[in-house]
Amino acid sequence: MKPSQTTYRFSFGPWNISTGADPFGPAARPEMEYARKLKAYKELGFDAVQFHDDDVVPADLDWPSTQKRVAEVKKILDGEGLFVEIIAPRLWEDPRTVDGAFTSNNPADRQYAIDRAKRTADIGREIGCKNYVLWLAREGTYIREAKCAKTGVARIVDAWNAILEHDSEIRVLGEAKPNEPMDQAYLPTVGHMMAVTYKTIDPARSGVLIESAHSILAGLDPADDMAFALYHGKLWSVHLNDQNGLKYDQDKVFGSVDLRRAFNTVWVLEKNGYGQNGEAVGLDVKAMRTTSFEESMFHLSHSKAMFLRLLDVVRGVDEARVEELRKNRQYEQLEMLILNALMGKAS
Ligand code: XLS
Ligand code: MG
């Protein structure tokens, strides 16, 4: 394979610049003003924004006020030269989604979720974004007996279809996560999510966003999960970050825990042409709670820098030599070739 000439484009969401609040303590630094966050994108070398519906406009506003607010945000983005890469309904904070959104046991609450999901597609249309992400945060249970899991899956597919039907131009990207906030999710892995894409009314418009930490939390390798989705032509966005073992979702700087795992992720994306159809490299990372307000954006530029440095390493690996070592089954030597590359040694 020839080295690709992909010019990568990078994105993140406004939630990635945060106050450091966690389940055990309140904000550790002030909230950054929204307009300041949007200004930060270009300063940090990013190209695109990832939005939840209520990152753009408060949820449940009437439609004319929603349109007005969306137009204001769009104007700021146009002025900054940014595009919106993904739009996603935030279906896990409202009191009506406390028992799940599409899988709630309460029909009125399920309807609220569907209505809000459709409205999110409308916001996407107004702001010029066709990638619609479904992170199914509360679609699962704390105890298995609370719901029928089979019905839960069917309800997720129905909701997915309702979104596809509502807007014939968007494509829906499922984002799997095995646990947190729920004890166990109904669609815990990329494989589950991929199976569901084929059960929708329009598989060609149904794909995935893969987050590194979510694969790791499922005990899987992000690079393999991404390869699987790439094989299916369904990897339409990524959330790169890192994760220290099977704990709570940490959203650490890309490559900060396991450099080789990050290298393999970049390898798989690069070797398979990710980004050549407009896909962006999303970085879903969080600053440490100890970080000061002034330094609370470094984790983003650092993650991007890590991706680009690993890309240099990937592009620097002698492919012919790799092929030869593969052919001769000299995996010990192949391993050292990669370790040397990671440590800045030619061979
Ligand atoms: C959670 C996700 C979430 C989605 C969008 O890990 O990053 O924010 O990507 O809803
Ligand atoms: Mg994510």
Side-chain angles (χ1 to χ4, degrees):
M1 258 184 283
K2 297 213 167 56
S4 96
Q5 294 305 314
T6 311
T7 305
Y8 290 92
R9 300 188 299 174
F10 296 86
S11 66
F12 68 87
W15 69 88
N16 294 117
I17 304 174
S18 70
T19 63
D22 68 16
F24 304 95
R29 49 185 176 262
E31 174 70 40
M32 189 176 291
E33 211 190 309
Y34 186 71
R36 174 75 192 92
K37 285 189 186 179
L38 293 185
K39 270 234 149 311
Y41 279 77
K42 282 286 163 179
E43 291 168 11
L44 295 167
F46 282 75
D47 312 283
V49 184
Q50 303 193 333
F51 273 142
H52 292 110
D53 53 350
D54 59 3
D55 288 322
V56 186
V57 48
D60 310 325
L61 270 189
D62 62 75
W63 185 243
S65 319
T66 299
Q67 266 181 316
K68 190 165 167 277
R69 173 69 186 145
V70 174
E72 285 164 9
V73 174
K74 188 163 183 341
K75 200 166 158 216
I76 302 177
L77 297 178
D78 290 346
E80 291 291 323
L82 295 167
F83 70 96
V84 181
E85 187 218 347
I86 63 160
I87 185 94
R90 200 193 300 270
L91 290 170
W92 52 93
E93 286 185 1
D94 191 274
R96 285 162 286 190
T97 59
V98 79
D99 185 36
F102 307 134
T103 62
S104 169
N105 278 335
N106 179 317
D109 291 348
R110 290 203 299 275
Q111 191 55 51
Y112 167 74
I114 297 271
D115 292 344
R116 182 157 170 185
K118 289 181 180 169
R119 183 175 163 278
T120 301
D122 297 338
I123 295 172
R125 174 172 283 270
E126 295 280 314
I127 212 155
C129 172
K130 291 185 179 166
N131 286 333
Y132 184 111
V133 170
L134 269 185
W135 174 46
L136 301 166
R138 294 196 193 276
E139 316 301 4
T141 51
Y142 300 110
I143 59 166
R144 298 333 279 165
E145 299 85 357
K147 294 175 187 175
C148 167
K150 186 178 168 214
T151 304
V153 176
R155 284 182 171 154
I156 292 169
V157 176
D158 288 348
W160 192 309
N161 286 338
I163 299 164
L164 288 172
E165 255 168 9
H166 183 71
D167 186 323
S168 61
E169 287 187 352
I170 54 158
R171 48 185 200 174
V172 177
L173 290 64
E175 179 181 358
K177 185 178 180 187
N179 61 280
E180 201 199 22
M182 307 313 292
D183 180 34
Q184 299 190 81
Y186 287 137
L187 302 179
T189 67
V190 172
H192 289 80
M193 202 56 86
M194 197 72 71
V196 157
T197 66
Y198 289 105
K199 293 295 280 184
T200 67
I201 52 168
D202 197 348
R205 286 195 291 133
S206 301
V208 294
L209 175 156
I210 298 181
E211 173 161 336
S212 324
H214 297 182
S215 294
I216 299 163
L217 284 168
L220 299 170
D221 186 273
D224 285 348
D225 266 352
M226 289 176 196
F228 182 71
L230 284 161
Y231 166 74
H232 290 265
K234 288 186 181 294
L235 186 62
W236 298 338
S237 186
V238 291
H239 272 176
L240 302 187
N241 53 23
D242 215 341
Q243 169 73 25
N244 195 3
L246 304 183
K247 301 173 182 169
Y248 61 95
D249 189 357
Q250 298 179 315
D251 296 339
K252 290 164 92 76
V253 163
F254 182 55
S256 62
V257 177
D258 190 332
L259 208 49
R260 190 162 175 193
R261 185 167 60 196
F263 163 84
N264 281 307
T265 302
V266 177
W267 176 286
V268 156
L269 296 174
E270 166 75 357
K271 301 286 181 198
N272 294 291
Y274 182 84
Q276 289 178 6
N277 294 311
E279 304 90 350
V281 175
L283 295 159
D284 194 6
V285 287
K286 213 180 270 165
M288 295 175 221
R289 185 168 158 80
T290 44
T291 306
S292 68
F293 179 79
E294 291 69 31
E295 303 206 340
S296 64
M297 297 187 291
F298 280 179
H299 59 300
L300 290 157
S301 47
H302 291 172
S303 292
K304 180 185 165 189
M306 286 302 296
F307 182 94
L308 292 174
R309 291 189 69 170
L310 287 166
L311 183 62
D312 279 346
V313 178
V314 168
R315 288 181 175 171
V317 172
D318 180 347
E319 292 212 24
R321 181 76 183 132
V322 171
E323 280 312 320
E324 194 189 345
L325 294 173
R326 282 179 175 178
K327 194 166 145 239
N328 298 332
R329 221 183 273 172
Q330 290 171 295
Y331 301 151
E332 301 291 351
Q333 291 204 49
L334 177 56
E335 176 150 86
M336 202 55 197
L337 182 95
I338 300 301
L339 293 177
N340 275 332
L342 279 171
M343 292 194 293
K345 289 188 153 220
S347 59

